[in-house]
Amino acid sequence: MSIRPLFTLDNRLKACAGMVPPGAKLADIGTDHAYLPVWLVRSQKIEQALACDLRPGPLERAKQNVRRYQVEDKIECRLSDGLDAVAPEEADVIAIAGMGGELIARILQRAPWVKEDKLLILQPMTAAEQLRRFLCGAGYALLQEQAVCADGKPYTVMCARYHGAPRQQDPLYPYIGLLGDTPQQDESAGACYIRKVIRDLENRRRGLIVQENQTEAEYLLAVVERLRAMLPEQEGING
């Protein structure tokens, strides 16, 4: 049987793949079609992986792709609720992509062994702010963060590792993490992400004004003004 040509990852999974160290033992949680582990193995970046999913349907799709791309000897598909069916020695890199940030946080909380020098690659579809707050409060440090656009929407991909005690962070940290460390260019993924955060905070601020919570509304206004200052100059002035 001829080997099927390798597919192209979307921007979210491409960013995740770029953060995986060569030779890593990967556990991909919520793997769905197993695109990430299959791509990494077929690209010879890693030699082995676990493709885990909570539901039998997505796991069957993962198994089909593993067979289709002839990597059965390197990728094991496993039914698992989060990391419940993964042993610490089976992975040194944990990828959790395509879930809400709060669910990602709960998965990590249920597996305290991920604090044992495991590299975490996290791609929240929603609630990135809540995920950053959890990571900071639980003693994880962001090592890298990248904004990407997929299907016309901005997302973030985070790389984190446990470092110990909770750390005091800049007030902008929960909203943009490390994305503010790089100057933003107009129409870049980073600028698009910051604009989305500004819109979300403005909506939240309007709700606080209706609730007559002036203190919190003023705090969010200060955050929004700092975020606008990070955008390309003309946009930051007129935004």
Side-chain angles (χ1 to χ4, degrees):
M1 182 186 298
S2 62
I3 298 179
R4 183 182 293 260
L6 190 56
F7 51 83
T8 300
L9 295 175
D10 70 11
N11 287 340
R12 295 182 304 107
L13 292 183
K14 186 184 299 183
C16 291
M19 295 181 184
V20 176
K25 293 189 296 182
L26 175 74
D28 183 33
I29 307 304
T31 195
D32 199 6
H33 290 78
Y35 288 140
L36 180 62
V38 167
W39 191 91
L40 287 166
V41 167
R42 278 288 308 273
S43 299
Q44 300 183 334
K45 189 171 184 180
I46 64 173
E47 290 294 322
Q48 57 182 306
L50 294 176
C52 302
D53 209 287
L54 170 64
R55 298 167 296 166
L59 196 67
E60 183 56 39
R61 292 196 291 269
K63 291 177 180 177
Q64 291 172 1
N65 272 334
V66 167
R67 290 192 296 268
R68 184 175 292 127
Y69 291 95
Q70 302 177 32
V71 287
E72 301 98 318
D73 58 330
K74 297 181 184 295
I75 299 177
E76 177 186 343
C77 296
R78 185 178 295 179
L79 198 66
S80 180
D81 185 354
L83 285 155
D84 291 357
V86 179
E89 65 274 10
E90 291 184 297
D92 47 39
V93 175
I94 311 297
I96 311 178
M99 300 183 194
E102 292 169 319
L103 177 56
I104 293 173
R106 289 197 296 271
I107 289 172
L108 297 176
Q109 282 181 306
R110 292 210 319 266
W113 57 265
V114 299
K115 295 180 177 180
E116 300 169 6
D117 202 32
K118 307 299 182 182
L119 191 69
L120 308 178
I121 298 172
L122 312 173
Q123 190 279 299
M125 298 296 282
T126 59
E129 175 189 337
Q130 287 81 353
L131 180 56
R132 292 190 195 94
R133 290 187 188 278
F134 163 76
L135 292 171
C136 180
Y140 293 91
L142 285 184
L143 308 178
Q144 184 180 355
E145 186 164 5
Q146 179 181 345
V148 297
C149 286
D151 297 325
K153 298 179 180 179
Y155 299 99
T156 183
V157 181
M158 310 172 189
C159 181
R161 193 187 296 273
Y162 183 72
H163 275 215
R167 299 181 177 189
Q168 191 69 27
Q169 299 288 348
D170 183 278
L172 294 188
Y173 176 85
Y175 307 106
I176 59 169
L178 302 182
L179 298 179
D181 292 351
T182 303
Q184 303 302 327
Q185 303 299 317
D186 192 25
E187 300 308 319
S188 71
C192 291
Y193 187 90
I194 290 173
R195 284 196 290 270
K196 175 186 178 297
V197 171
I198 289 172
R199 289 194 299 270
D200 291 344
L201 292 180
E202 286 282 24
N203 288 335
R204 193 188 308 179
R205 190 171 72 88
R206 282 191 285 269
L208 290 168
I209 292 172
V210 171
Q211 298 167 18
E212 298 184 351
N213 188 341
Q214 194 63 29
T215 300
E216 186 65 19
E218 289 177 358
Y219 176 80
L220 289 186
L221 177 59
V223 170
V224 165
E225 289 176 345
R226 286 188 61 190
L227 291 173
R228 282 184 176 145
M230 293 180 176
L231 293 172
E233 183 175 354
Q234 192 62 35
E235 184 176 349
I237 294 172
N238 298 328

